[in-house]
Amino acid sequence: MSAAHRIVVVGSVVLDTIHTPHGSAEECVGGSASYAALAASYHAPVHLVGIVGSDFPTEARELYAAHGIDVEGLEVVEGETFRWGGRYHADMNRRDTLFTHLNVFEHFHPKLPESYRDAEVVFLANIHPSLQMEVLDQVRNPRFVALDTMNLWIDIARDDLAAVLQKVDLLFLNDEEARQLSGETNLVAAVRALRAMGPKAVVVKKGEHGAVLFGHASTPYVQSTVLLDQVVDPTGAGDAFAGGFLGHVARVGNTEDVTLRAAMVHGTVLASYTTERFGIDRLAEIRESDISERSDVLRMLTAWPGH
Amino acid sequence: MSAAHRIVVVGSVVLDTIHTPHGSAEECVGGSASYAALAASYHAPVHLVGIVGSDFPTEARELYAAHGIDVEGLEVVEGETFRWGGRYHADMNRRDTLFTHLNVFEHFHPKLPESYRDAEVVFLANIHPSLQMEVLDQVRNPRFVALDTMNLWIDIARDDLAAVLQKVDLLFLNDEEARQLSGETNLVAAVRALRAMGPKAVVVKKGEHGAVLFGHASTPYVQSTVLLDQVVDPTGAGDAFAGGFLGHVARVGNTEDVTLRAAMVHGTVLASYTTERFGIDRLAEIRESDISERSDVLRMLTAWPGH
């Protein structure tokens, strides 16, 4: 790979209604593809693939465009956009889903515009694994394919997930999902089993506890989160993490271990900003200097003390 | 403080019966004081304070002595030693207590031999806070006092705990306990509240997710655990962490932030060895080279990649 690669992001675009201990927000733009695409846009050219209804706000479309995100692949059909509602507990690691209205998303089949099909990096954000496979059937020769998934697909679409995993270079999932999909309780053993399913690299996301990269090197890489004194809304943090990670990979243009490790930093930085306000509000407005400032915070938080 | 300080460790000495997914062990020597004293002994001279019954195995006493641990303060009384039994779940972050027989521990009041009272470092391992206070009434002029506690004392002896916390330099507790004791769900806010209760420094232990030091510097320090591919028995890991941490502080002989940060590494190293076998078996036999080897593993796991 050489520098300045393009990244295709496929996932859900949703209008979220979110309640957290710090307040509520109605119908804010979200979904795995929104968070991932915005985060990636700080590092590389992004092509978005998704579906919305005729009620999708023009301002949101303009927001993507303002971030240089190509929305030719964001299909608009008659009807209502996917809507989701959730309420976080006082312990914000836990949330309850209040409603899920798939609406136009129910019959979504991703269609990649011709100009997308030669993208070097592909991110299959969290949607049904059979839709993720449909995307891979449309790209020509991607150099790096990453996939995110969730407990629901492990439960109800395990075979579809296993099929698409065979074609994936990197798998993102959280620690609970890693244990569920592998059947192993020990994390190292779980990742060994996951790699046997296809992906050469695995990133285990652990929410407020950070993330672990099992990359090409023999030693994994452990990344702390930033310790924020207020998390307003954790929604989309995992998607922004993946977007920031893959944006960095696309920008650098290779998948060497040192690149993947630095990508862990960039994913963490973008995820941390995402949680500072509801929805995409904070993620959409950060600047280059914000990214380097928070990278420095992370570096100091974990600076090896010697012994 | 100058080099080579002595450390007094006060806590429980227990015969544990432990069941984990990897097997079982009957009546192995444990308790907060055993784990902490053995871990600290790799770095500094340790004086142990505790109580056992007449049934306490001679070999265990000899094991302490072989580690240079002064056991003059380990009181032996007629009757049976404290016994505890527990069973870990497949998810070893969870365990059920099967039985707790306090036996001779029920009427324990720590008595510090004269030679202990000038020790520079004091570790009040996890016992009732009123007993921890009795220890502080007997030491003359400690330079550094650290305390560990648990959810039980926060529930049933909060006032006693608050009183002793006012006399403590450093508090060890896990993330759940930090939230419970402070009433704050955000970790940074929780630690701010805990510091207002007395301790200038707080170490939040997060089990397999590592630990965070809120020390004197404005930036906290986040320490990852070693990623072991098999944890045989997590019992005592938190106590060994505290012992290794404080042993390092005693050895270096100061409490500067860089010392506390390096202590996080040493605590993590000793805790990780502890979990490799049942009880104190592995902790009791490690060598200097094991410690430096595992420190190197930790350093590589978290080596900042640049960006």
Side-chain angles (χ1 to χ4, degrees), chain A residues 118-132:
Chain A
D118 291 317
E120 294 85 357
V121 178
V122 175
F123 180 41
L124 308 169
N126 175 30
I127 50 174
H128 192 292
S130 69
L131 298 183
Q132 294 176 320

Side-chain angles (χ1 to χ4, degrees), chain A residues 90-93 175 179 185-189 192 206 208-209 212 214 219-225 227-231 248 251 258 261-263 265-266 292 294-307, chain B residues 90-93 175 179 185-189 192 206 208-209 212 214 219-225 227-231 248 251 258 261-263 265-266 291-292 295-307:
Chain A
D91 169 4
M92 289 168 79
N93 297 307
D175 45 353
R179 291 178 167 118
T185 51
N186 178 280
L187 199 63
V188 177
R192 198 182 297 131
K206 306 199 294 179
E208 66 168 333
H209 303 302
V212 185
F214 294 83
T219 306
Y221 173 67
V222 178
Q223 178 62 59
S224 168
T225 51
L227 298 170
L228 295 175
D229 64 0
Q230 193 182 64
V231 169
H248 178 78
R251 180 177 59 183
V258 65
R261 285 175 167 235
V265 174
H266 285 287
S292 58
R294 192 146 289 177
S295 294
D296 288 344
V297 170
L298 271 183
R299 186 174 47 75
M300 286 190 293
L301 266 182
T302 57
W304 182 255
H307 55 278
Chain B
D91 168 5
M92 288 168 79
N93 297 306
D175 45 354
R179 292 181 167 117
T185 51
N186 178 281
L187 199 64
V188 177
R192 198 182 297 130
K206 306 199 295 180
E208 66 167 334
H209 303 302
V212 185
F214 295 83
T219 304
Y221 173 67
V222 177
Q223 178 63 58
S224 168
T225 52
L227 299 171
L228 295 175
D229 64 359
Q230 191 181 67
V231 169
H248 178 78
R251 179 177 60 183
V258 64
R261 286 175 169 236
V265 174
H266 285 287
I291 294 176
S292 58
S295 295
D296 289 343
V297 169
L298 271 182
R299 186 174 47 74
M300 286 190 293
L301 266 182
T302 58
W304 181 255
H307 54 279

